[in-house]
Amino acid sequence: MEQQKRYGHFDDQHREYVITDPQTPWPWINYLGNEDFFSLISNTAGGYSFYKDAKFRRITRYRYNNVPMDNGGRYFYIKDGDTVWNPGWKPCKTPLDFYECRHGMSYTRITGRKDGVEASVLFFVPLKKWCEVQKLTLKNESSAVKKLKLFSFEEWCLWNAATDMENFQRNFSTGEVEIEGSTIYHKTEYRERRNHYAFYHVNAPIQGYDTDRETFVGLYNEFANPDAVMEGKPRNSHAHGWSPIASHYIEVELKPGESKDFVFLLGYIENEQDEKFEAPQVINKKKAHALISELDTTEKVDKAFAELNALWDNLLNIYKVRTGNDKLDRMVNIWNQYQCMVTFNFSRSASFFESGVGRGMGFRDSNQDLVGFVHQIPPRARQRIIDIASTQFPDGGCYHQYQPLTKRGNNDIGGGFNDDPCWLIFGTVAYIKETGDFSILDEMVPFDNQPGSEVTLFEHLKISMDHVIKNLGPHMLPLIGRADWNDCLNLNCFSWDPNESFQTTENVSEGTKAESLMIAGLFVVTGKDYVALCKKTGKDDEAARMQKAVDAMIDAVKKHGWDGEWYLRAYDFYGRKIGSNENDEAKIFIESQGWCTMAEIGAEDGLVAKSLDSCKKYLECEHGMVLNNPAFSKYIYEYGEISSYPEGYKENAGIFCHNNPWVIIGECLAGRGNDAWSHYAKILPSYVEEKYQTLHKVEPYVNCQMVAGKDAFKPGEGKNSWLTGTAAWMWYTVSEFILGIKPDYDGIRIDPCLPETATDYTVQRKFRDADYEITIHPNGAQKGVKKVVLDGSPIEGTVIPYSAGKHVVEVTM
Ligand code: GLC
Ligand code: GLC
């Protein structure tokens, strides 16, 4: 085992992760912005900004997979005599006397010290404003007067992040800027169809600037040694085509002990078509001036920052636990909830592993993300459900993804993923249980965004269920279509052509017998929810109709979906078993174990317990549970992408963290608290943080999509951090199934499942207009609530009936 170095630590009091060494094993990033304007920022200030859509409205440029890694971002160069340094160490990499990066809730603060000067930059996006604030504080800690030369730096993206990387024959001729006082405006393509521009401003007089990259950097230099900075002389360049940038130059004099603030603003503006220009060729800057004036002093910026912090105080006050276990509490109270907000905002679009150009909002992804987010800002969750449902087709199928800017289904990816429709029920039910807002079911929602096609949201749910029922295979199990949750199990693809996408190619499907046990389990789980919802809303006939379908599915699974020790995974095109002891490789898969145990199919005959035991026996390893076992060692034409990955990575026997919670919930329902906890702790970031910062490689404060599995070259190495359904599922698992605080239509159901070592804990839960303080006394039990006392009086059953106001609840297990 290689030496596990530490690069940082949690600061729970400030809700921050503190990075103390800039050379982390991979860029450790954070997200700024909560609604329209967003930025990604690494621990060395790398990253980029965009408005709403990382593909269509990219504001600053970023080069993925660069050498060196993570080059490009918002950089401050400080020239102090002959020494040039950056507060975040990069890009100059001048050794610093002190370095610290604090990633907090929607903000990042990076501090560097060199030769008696401290430079600290606070980065955040103020609420409801379309800009990133960079408040730089320079302080002279030496006993001599300091004369510093300060250069700022941003590189503009030509808006469409995809063509920005491709269409150089055009791009090198389109770039345009304007300079006015201390503001540099980026207006490429504004002369034609764009109604938006960006600007980079500082609230101080400048002594020079640059807007042309080549002039500023020098064609044969790098960000680490730009010509203008090295010489200490701005060129006052004006970009015409090529690559426009924005760099301010400021001469700063600091007396001993003196400090000065500079507020830099990266802003985005949209104008009405007929108000675009104030004079021929001159952009209308009215809105930019207004935005700047709202944030042009330290006081105004500090106030905006306080508002952001207050938002997070409120959000994180909705569910708060005190267990006495710091590692659990900090994930539940801070980081897991924070990551859920981020996945809700970005789906799988923009991270340091998702380039922001490939993918929009996923139908299944966003529905799952909702479940981690719905308690935070229910009205936004409501709107999201409507947006997602609007991309459905009249037959219940749907676009697999949609673009956040246009909210239109993405034609390039298409549809045909047969698990997709069920997730709409999953998301909607979670929303109603949290809010009690049944009116969402009557909301009129179109198909494929076509005006005039509207039906109620409830109707969308109904056709979602029916889509499964109408697409059953020879074993009466759901046909898989292009793929189910596992995008890489492509049973109708049959591709020998490396130029075909596994995701969108379906070479044969006519006459297919490819069925999915994962969808079967998902259908039973969401079907039970759907039946309960129908009963709740007085639709008894519909409830009875669906109950029949659910029962039939349960029978089909018991009959054709059980392999003896675990649930099968699927049937292939020809109707042959997948995930069976009869197979040479991939005899067992996690997804069907998760969904069929969550559905409790065959629990009465011991199927659930056997399946869970098999997960422990064949899938579990030190770092979590792998997706399948044994891993595929060769490409299987009939299975598609899953077998394209080397052993132990991604969908081929990687620890695909997203699906571990499914099994954990299965364990919880079965009352096996010790097992549930041990699976959970293995992939809980705070536990990994303590042991494996070097090996894990990616950010230790959030979950990543995939950790290399036991068959991989380096088991335990993490990849694809941040944007993963793992966030919502970890939240759902711990908040509802482990700690056992479950929103329900009429109140909160209390049903914890704990390791026998658990001690008393208290959950503070705001729920609709009520505020519950719930203390659980486990008394060594893993499961089973014996007594619930509400405001001093015992109640029947385990559901605390909802009523507004403050309540104290005591639970004895
Ligand atoms: C990715 C996708 C998700 C899919 C999973 C498994 O995380 O975003 O939609 O379910 O991979 O293939
Ligand atoms: C696949 C990935 C999978 C992802 C899919 C869609 O290559 O393995 O995780 O869901 O692409 O982008």
Side-chain angles (χ1 to χ4, degrees):
M1 183 86 263
E2 71 194 281
Q3 188 59 30
Q4 294 296 310
K5 204 182 146 194
R6 294 186 67 84
Y7 301 87
H9 55 86
F10 288 100
D11 176 347
D12 295 338
Q13 202 199 331
H14 295 100
R15 302 187 299 223
E16 289 170 340
Y17 193 82
V18 188
I19 301 165
T20 49
D21 179 343
Q23 298 186 63
T24 47
W26 188 258
W28 286 0
I29 74 163
N30 194 13
Y31 286 84
L32 313 177
N34 285 297
E35 230 156 321
D36 293 333
F37 189 105
F38 297 107
S39 300
L40 280 66
I41 182 167
S42 72
N43 59 306
T44 56
Y48 59 90
S49 303
F50 60 94
Y51 170 77
K52 278 193 184 167
D53 193 312
K55 178 174 179 180
F56 290 129
R57 288 288 187 283
R58 187 77 66 101
I59 297 170
T60 53
R61 181 174 285 160
Y62 193 70
R63 294 170 193 78
Y64 279 86
N65 201 4
N66 207 348
V67 179
M69 188 55 200
D70 185 31
N71 240 17
R74 56 297 262 169
Y75 290 139
F76 293 106
Y77 296 91
I78 297 163
K79 186 162 166 34
D80 180 4
D82 287 335
T83 308
V84 179
W85 59 283
N86 315 99
W89 184 62
K90 281 192 71 171
C92 292
K93 297 191 281 185
T94 306
L96 299 176
D97 301 332
F98 173 84
Y99 158 90
E100 185 184 83
C101 166
R102 289 178 170 261
H103 284 319
M105 303 291 104
S106 308
Y107 69 87
T108 286
R109 193 192 296 272
I110 297 179
T111 304
R113 268 186 224 136
K114 183 74 186 170
D115 299 339
V117 175
E118 180 182 275
S120 190
V121 198
L122 171 67
F123 300 90
F124 71 102
V125 173
L127 300 179
K128 309 278 175 208
K129 292 199 172 41
W130 294 352
C131 62
E132 176 183 306
V133 169
Q134 305 159 355
K135 186 179 101 175
L136 166 68
T137 305
L138 287 175
K139 188 167 175 203
N140 181 358
E141 294 178 333
S142 77
S143 50
V145 172
K146 283 280 185 185
K147 290 188 172 174
L148 308 173
K149 294 177 170 184
L150 171 68
F151 294 82
S152 69
F153 177 82
E154 295 268 13
E155 181 176 5
W156 303 113
C157 180
L158 306 186
W159 303 114
N160 180 324
T163 56
D164 185 66
M165 299 190 286
E166 280 167 9
N167 196 3
F168 303 109
Q169 60 81 23
R170 169 178 164 84
N171 296 352
F172 287 165
S173 295
T174 53
E176 289 191 293
V177 299
E178 272 182 43
I179 300 133
E180 179 199 61
S182 300
T183 315
I184 295 163
Y185 293 88
H186 177 226
K187 59 171 187 178
T188 299
E189 292 185 348
Y190 189 78
R191 63 165 59 229
E192 32 121 347
R193 292 158 300 174
R194 294 196 180 275
N195 66 344
H196 43 270
Y197 61 80
F199 67 82
Y200 194 37
H201 166 85
V202 58
N203 70 340
I206 58 174
Q207 286 75 50
Y209 59 84
D210 272 291
T211 67
D212 178 63
R213 192 184 74 205
E214 198 178 311
T215 312
F216 178 74
V217 177
L219 192 55
Y220 294 99
N221 289 1
E222 299 164 31
F223 291 143
N225 58 353
D227 266 344
V229 177
M230 293 336 250
E231 264 185 53
K233 267 201 205 112
R235 309 312 203 218
N236 298 336
S237 59
H238 199 115
H240 297 277
W242 299 110
S243 290
I245 60 158
S247 171
H248 305 96
Y249 169 72
I250 305 176
E251 292 169 357
V252 188
E253 187 171 314
L254 293 174
K255 293 190 220 57
E258 193 187 1
S259 89
K260 276 186 186 157
D261 288 342
F262 298 88
V263 179
F264 290 83
L265 273 195
L266 177 71
Y268 171 87
I269 300 293
E270 284 184 357
N271 277 334
E272 294 298 324
Q273 204 58 36
D274 53 356
E275 289 179 2
K276 279 175 64 172
F277 298 95
E278 60 185 43
Q281 306 261 358
V282 182
I283 60 180
N284 178 350
K285 304 182 184 65
K286 230 201 252 148
K287 286 189 188 169
H289 292 157
L291 178 53
I292 288 167
S293 74
E294 289 170 30
L295 292 157
D296 57 357
T297 65
T298 298
E299 292 67 37
K300 291 180 194 174
V301 166
D302 290 349
K303 189 164 163 278
F305 186 54
E307 286 164 7
L308 175 68
N309 288 322
L311 170 85
W312 277 105
D313 287 343
N314 289 334
L315 291 176
L316 297 177
N317 264 332
I318 299 169
Y319 191 122
K320 246 190 176 154
V321 70
R322 284 195 311 274
T323 64
N325 173 349
D326 289 349
K327 289 202 271 297
L328 177 62
D329 290 2
R330 72 167 61 106
M331 291 316 298
V332 174
N333 295 337
I334 305 169
W335 292 98
N336 192 179
Q337 297 200 58
Y338 181 57
Q339 190 180 3
C340 284
M341 165 72 93
V342 170
T343 56
F344 176 84
N345 282 333
F346 296 96
S347 197
R348 308 293 169 265
S349 66
S351 73
F352 269 30
F353 295 88
E354 300 279 7
S355 64
V357 301
R359 302 172 70 180
M361 311 293 281
F363 193 99
R364 77 157 83 87
D365 295 330
S366 289
N367 271 305
Q368 292 171 79
D369 295 343
L370 261 173
V371 171
F373 173 80
V374 64
H375 65 291
Q376 300 190 19
I377 310 180
R380 287 188 66 198
R382 191 183 205 276
Q383 185 57 48
R384 179 64 53 81
I385 291 170
I386 306 291
D387 290 347
I388 295 172
S390 305
T391 65
Q392 198 169 26
F393 301 117
D395 73 350
C398 48
Y399 283 108
H400 195 49
Q401 284 171 26
Y402 72 92
Q403 283 309 127
L405 191 69
T406 58
K407 296 189 175 177
R408 293 300 154 109
N410 189 333
N411 257 326
D412 303 342
I413 320 274
F417 296 78
N418 281 352
D419 62 315
D420 271 338
C422 289
W423 296 111
L424 188 60
I425 291 146
F426 185 67
T428 306
V429 164
Y431 169 78
I432 301 177
K433 286 188 171 170
E434 178 67 34
T435 57
D437 171 19
F438 287 90
S439 76
I440 191 173
L441 295 173
D442 303 324
E443 213 52 60
M444 297 301 283
V445 181
F447 292 113
D448 192 9
N449 281 292
Q450 295 309 310
S453 66
E454 292 81 358
V455 298
T456 63
L457 179 66
F458 180 78
E459 196 62 29
H460 280 267
L461 302 189
K462 183 171 169 212
I463 62 165
S464 295
M465 296 302 297
D466 282 338
H467 188 265
V468 177
I469 301 171
K470 287 185 185 151
N471 289 283
L472 297 178
H475 300 99
M476 299 311 277
L477 294 165
L479 290 171
I480 198 166
R482 238 169 235 179
D484 60 22
W485 171 87
N486 189 332
D487 277 341
C488 298
L489 193 58
N490 315 117
L491 304 181
N492 301 312
C493 176
F494 296 97
S495 182
W496 279 119
D497 177 357
N499 297 324
E500 284 175 349
S501 149
F502 286 112
Q503 307 299 305
T504 54
T505 307
E506 198 176 280
N507 286 321
V508 200
S509 54
E510 201 65 20
T512 179
K513 297 179 180 166
E515 298 169 304
S516 161
L517 267 300
M518 182 268 154
I519 305 182
L522 174 66
F523 177 81
V524 173
V525 171
T526 49
K528 288 180 186 171
D529 278 338
Y530 177 86
V531 168
L533 181 66
C534 288
K535 286 189 180 154
K536 188 79 205 146
T537 50
K539 300 181 181 69
D540 290 341
D541 292 349
E542 177 63 3
R545 181 181 79 96
M546 202 51 65
Q547 185 62 51
K548 259 202 201 143
V550 168
D551 292 342
M553 190 67 77
I554 292 173
D555 283 347
V557 173
K558 286 197 210 165
K559 236 198 204 139
H560 303 292
W562 183 248
D563 196 54
E565 298 292 320
W566 54 80
Y567 302 96
L568 288 177
R569 175 61 177 89
Y571 284 95
D572 72 7
F573 180 89
Y574 305 101
R576 300 177 304 206
K577 291 176 185 171
I578 299 181
S580 158
N581 209 15
E582 293 168 18
N583 298 117
D584 294 337
E585 295 183 331
K587 291 166 180 284
I588 171 171
F589 283 75
I590 199 167
E591 303 98 322
S592 44
Q593 312 318 315
W595 280 99
C596 295
T597 59
M598 281 196 276
E600 303 183 279
I601 297 174
E604 62 290 355
D605 305 322
L607 270 48
V608 165
K610 274 191 196 157
S611 157
L612 294 171
D613 287 343
S614 294
C615 290
K616 284 204 323 193
K617 196 159 161 200
Y618 301 107
L619 302 179
E620 193 182 14
C621 69
E622 189 186 348
H623 305 282
M625 283 176 278
V626 299
L627 192 145
N628 54 293
N629 184 256
F632 291 107
S633 64
K634 52 183 179 304
Y635 177 58
I636 301 182
Y637 175 59
E638 293 87 345
Y639 293 1
E641 184 169 4
I642 188 164
S643 56
S644 73
Y645 286 111
E647 295 88 324
Y649 294 105
K650 292 280 287 179
E651 280 87 344
N652 185 16
I655 298 161
F656 214 95
C657 301
H658 187 145
N659 51 41
N660 277 229
W662 300 344
V663 174
I664 302 172
I665 294 175
E667 292 280 7
C668 288
L669 294 172
R672 303 168 26 147
N674 290 339
D675 292 325
W677 176 260
S678 94
H679 288 311
Y680 174 73
K682 279 191 175 168
I683 61 165
L684 194 65
S686 50
Y687 278 85
V688 178
E689 194 263 355
E690 193 183 34
K691 274 199 191 153
Y692 291 126
Q693 297 199 0
T694 315
L695 171 65
H696 187 69
K697 201 170 165 113
V698 290
E699 295 88 336
Y701 34 93
V702 291
N703 272 111
C704 54
Q705 180 207 53
M706 198 261 328
V707 173
K710 55 184 174 179
D711 311 285
F713 170 66
K714 217 188 238 184
E717 185 180 68
K719 287 190 184 123
N720 306 1
S721 52
W722 281 100
L723 300 185
T724 160
T726 314
W729 278 99
M730 286 295 272
W731 172 252
Y732 186 52
T733 301
V734 71
S735 66
E736 300 199 15
F737 294 90
I738 294 177
L739 297 172
I741 312 296
K742 234 180 153 357
D744 212 329
Y745 297 122
D746 299 319
I748 292 185
R749 182 181 300 278
I750 311 287
D751 190 13
C753 184
L754 304 161
E756 62 199 4
T757 50
T759 50
D760 294 3
Y761 62 94
T762 301
V763 175
Q764 204 76 43
R765 180 66 156 94
K766 288 202 194 339
F767 179 64
R768 304 178 200 169
D769 292 322
D771 201 336
Y772 295 97
E773 185 181 290
I774 306 167
T775 302
I776 317 263
H777 308 280
N779 297 317
Q782 295 184 49
K783 180 94 167 177
V785 169
K786 284 205 183 120
K787 195 165 102 191
V788 179
V789 178
L790 169 63
D791 298 326
S793 321
I795 60 164
E796 275 299 308
T798 56
V799 180
I800 312 168
Y802 168 71
S803 75
K806 270 191 187 293
H807 304 282
V808 178
V809 183
E810 294 282 330
V811 178
T812 314
M813 297 178 54

